[in-house]
Amino acid sequence: MRVPARLISAIEGTDYSAVPTRRKRRPARPPHSSPAAPAGRWSVQHLPAPAGGPRRRVIHHESCWLPTGDADLTLDQALRELTRPGSEPCAACDARHLPPS
């Protein structure tokens, strides 16, 4: 349980000398491998670009709940699309499992 220090007050007559005053460092997380990209078709959502900036594109899996149009790309085409400036995988669908470029 976590409680902000400002909400804590000492209980009269209680010895707190054994209570640690510093947090222990959490052990480093072991690296985890991301799941393999799922089979299926992929689509590209074209987003407005900032003035003078590169076009933005979001890659989606066909199962994505965001409406993106026809999923007509293969996995290889989606991966190639991710290497283009301004392209990123959708964080809401299985595209998040695509390997980073």
Side-chain angles (χ1 to χ4, degrees), residues 8 13 16 43 49 56 73 84:
I8 305 290
Y16 293 99
S43 65
R56 292 185 53 222
L73 300 178
R84 297 175 67 183

Side-chain angles (χ1 to χ4, degrees), residues 31-73:
H32 78 279
S33 59
S34 61
R41 304 298 283 177
W42 303 85
S43 65
V44 178
Q45 178 185 19
H46 297 275
L47 300 174
R55 293 182 60 188
R56 292 185 53 222
R57 296 171 218 54
V58 179
I59 310 304
H60 298 274
H61 187 258
E62 64 188 350
S63 64
C64 188
W65 59 272
L66 295 170
T68 60
D70 293 334
D72 56 358
L73 300 178

Side-chain angles (χ1 to χ4, degrees), residues 1-100:
M1 176 191 331
R2 289 184 174 192
V3 179
R6 63 182 166 74
L7 298 178
I8 305 290
S9 60
I11 299 172
E12 194 173 316
T14 304
D15 177 24
Y16 293 99
S17 62
V19 175
T21 58
R22 295 186 181 220
R23 282 188 199 172
K24 292 182 182 177
R25 286 187 165 242
R26 290 185 178 177
R29 290 185 178 182
H32 78 279
S33 59
S34 61
R41 304 298 283 177
W42 303 85
S43 65
V44 178
Q45 178 185 19
H46 297 275
L47 300 174
R55 293 182 60 188
R56 292 185 53 222
R57 296 171 218 54
V58 179
I59 310 304
H60 298 274
H61 187 258
E62 64 188 350
S63 64
C64 188
W65 59 272
L66 295 170
T68 60
D70 293 334
D72 56 358
L73 300 178
T74 65
L75 175 59
D76 287 338
Q77 290 170 324
L79 291 172
R80 198 168 28 254
E81 187 67 35
L82 275 175
T83 63
R84 297 175 67 183
S87 292
E88 62 188 65
C90 175
C93 73
D94 286 334
R96 69 185 179 279
H97 299 302
L98 292 174

